[in-house]
Amino acid sequence: MTAAAVTNVRAERRAAPKPARIPSGDRPAYSTGERRTATEEPAWVRWLLIALALGFMTLFLFVPLATVFVEALKKGWGVYLAAITDDDALSAIKLTLIATLISVPLNVVFGVAAAWAITKFDFRGKNLLLTLIDLPFSVSPVIAGLIYVLVFGLQGWFGEWLRDHDLKVIFAVPGIVLATIFVTFPFVARELIPLMQAQGIEQEEAARVLGANGWQMFRRVTLPNIQWALLYGVILCNARAMGEFGAVSVVSGHIRGQTNTMPLHIEIAYNEYQFAAAFAVASLLAGLALVTLGAKYIVEQRVHRDKREALTQGEPS
């Protein structure tokens, strides 16, 4: 570089605007030990927010939940046991379990297959598949039930064919199972996809190099890595299947002892002023919800740990 060029560079540096200095009177008067982080708040603000959160949860969660059990046992254990062992109540419990035991395994198969395809392969329509998986979250369950009525009802697309072959879907168990599957199928896939994306495909590629086939890779490599996320998705799917009301209400027909699930039985009993029976069955659902919540918390901790480990392994050393 010539002397003239050096002189020009120095002149440009002197002409460049200097950063403005904050007057000493406008600077925050924090000593070294009193510096506050951006998220630090005074103690009274933290306690106020905690009190508001606890008050909201008490008013809208704890009090209604306690009311269910109090009302269910208000007239004694004899009335409670009679309510949950009634023929209609037992039929509703049985149908709820049947719909759950059919829909959850099917959703596990779909969720694992969809998550495997989305995270391990690149193909046309991947974004469309992700959008379709989220469809039950954006469509009202009542609309979903109405869709099945329009397709499989007597006036629907397949109504005449089903009638001619003496098959019933709407106002029967198959319709309830279909509606339950529709509202629950995103849960397993949505739990597996983020974890499998974080884990990458390196382990599967290593297994393939070592001679493993597709089933061996899934059973010995993929499944052990996703087992806790899979269990978490199953818990959420099971909870939604047992408590589903809207879609099932449309396709069930509310036939006592035949097509009423537990939520529908509770609604009918309450509308007929059978409060003891309604709250007794509601307490069963609430108890299942509490068990699900406890299992969800335990599994959630393990899932978060697996995700952190997957992210740590994926970082370059």
Side-chain angles (χ1 to χ4, degrees):
M1 183 179 291
T2 62
V6 173
T7 304
N8 291 336
V9 171
R10 289 176 178 175
E12 290 176 359
R13 288 179 178 176
R14 286 195 295 267
K18 296 181 179 180
R21 293 193 176 187
I22 301 175
S24 59
D26 296 337
R27 296 177 186 173
Y30 294 142
S31 64
T32 304
E34 295 178 346
R35 292 186 180 276
R36 291 169 53 187
T37 62
T39 58
E40 186 178 352
E41 297 293 345
W44 69 268
V45 175
R46 296 198 300 270
W47 285 110
L48 177 61
L49 293 176
I50 292 173
L52 289 175
L54 289 177
F56 185 88
M57 293 178 63
T58 300
L59 183 61
F60 292 100
L61 180 61
F62 299 143
V63 171
L65 188 61
T67 302
V68 170
F69 291 98
V70 170
E71 291 293 331
L73 298 172
K74 179 186 291 186
K75 296 184 179 180
W77 284 99
V79 175
Y80 178 84
L81 294 176
I84 62 176
T85 56
D86 178 71
D87 290 340
D88 291 341
L90 291 176
S91 175
I93 295 171
K94 179 181 177 181
L95 181 56
T96 302
L97 294 176
I98 290 173
T100 302
L101 291 175
I102 295 175
S103 60
V104 172
L106 292 177
N107 283 324
V108 168
V109 174
F110 167 79
V112 172
W116 178 282
I118 289 171
T119 58
K120 307 300 181 183
F121 304 100
D122 289 324
F123 55 91
R124 276 187 171 184
K126 178 188 286 191
N127 292 332
L128 177 61
L129 179 58
L130 280 169
T131 302
L132 292 177
I133 289 175
D134 290 335
L135 185 63
F137 291 146
S138 57
V139 175
S140 169
V142 175
I143 301 301
L146 182 60
I147 291 172
Y148 284 114
V149 172
L150 294 176
V151 173
F152 299 108
L154 288 178
Q155 306 301 321
W157 295 350
F158 303 105
E160 292 185 5
W161 185 88
L162 292 171
R163 182 188 58 192
D164 294 340
H165 292 78
D166 196 23
L167 298 174
K168 290 194 67 176
V169 175
I170 303 303
F171 308 148
V173 175
I176 295 173
V177 172
L178 286 174
T180 305
I181 291 173
F182 178 84
V183 299
T184 57
F185 78 77
F187 290 99
V188 175
R190 269 303 173 190
E191 289 302 320
L192 294 179
I193 290 173
L195 177 61
M196 295 177 72
Q197 286 176 335
Q199 290 174 344
I201 61 174
E202 290 80 7
Q203 296 184 19
E204 282 82 1
E205 290 177 343
R208 173 65 73 181
V209 170
L210 294 174
N213 57 34
W215 171 247
Q216 289 174 331
M217 282 194 302
F218 175 77
R219 184 168 59 90
R220 298 184 179 181
V221 179
T222 304
L223 186 59
N225 290 334
I226 66 171
Q227 58 184 348
W228 291 105
L230 179 61
L231 181 57
Y232 184 58
V234 169
I235 290 172
L236 295 179
C237 182
N238 177 76
R240 179 63 189 273
M242 286 192 171
E244 175 55 30
F245 178 83
V248 172
S249 177
V250 175
V251 301
S252 73
H254 294 81
I255 304 173
R256 289 178 180 272
Q258 298 183 32
T259 62
N260 276 343
T261 59
M262 292 173 69
L264 300 181
H265 178 78
I266 293 169
E267 182 203 24
I268 291 176
Y270 190 85
N271 289 336
E272 294 180 351
Y273 303 102
Q274 300 176 16
F275 299 124
F279 281 106
V281 180
S283 68
L284 293 180
L285 277 180
L288 290 172
L290 293 176
V291 172
T292 301
L293 187 62
K296 172 180 174 292
Y297 175 79
I298 295 172
V299 175
E300 193 174 37
Q301 301 304 310
R302 186 61 182 263
V303 171
H304 289 332
R305 192 182 74 179
D306 288 353
K307 287 183 179 179
R308 287 195 299 268
E309 292 177 354
L311 291 173
T312 303
Q313 293 174 359
E315 292 177 355
S317 55

